[in-house]
Amino acid sequence: MVAFSSKDISMRTLLLLSLCLPALASAQVYKCQSPQGVVSYSAQPCMAGQTAQTMGLKPMSAW
């Protein structure tokens, strides 16, 4: 049986989490345009009366 120290386990956990972060960082962005023509970008859906366009953003690569 192999014994792991708490330092080994925490380093492995940190490595695993760092590999998963790009997947968690992907975002949904809404492009909204008011009836007056003002364009805004938001993480929230557009308000009633605004023209909406959903924009899927790809996560940026650290490499």
Side-chain angles (χ1 to χ4, degrees):
M1 187 166 132
V2 177
F4 293 107
S5 70
S6 61
K7 183 178 179 181
D8 290 336
I9 294 172
S10 63
M11 290 299 289
R12 289 174 190 234
T13 303
L14 182 61
L15 177 62
L16 180 63
L17 288 174
S18 67
L19 293 175
C20 294
L21 283 178
L24 298 174
S26 64
Q28 185 74 21
V29 176
Y30 298 91
K31 178 181 177 183
C32 307
Q33 185 171 4
S34 72
Q36 294 79 19
V38 177
V39 176
S40 62
Y41 297 89
S42 175
Q44 308 297 322
C46 301
M47 296 180 359
Q50 293 184 333
T51 304
Q53 180 180 358
T54 304
M55 305 173 72
L57 299 180
K58 296 179 183 178
M60 293 177 51
S61 174
W63 288 267

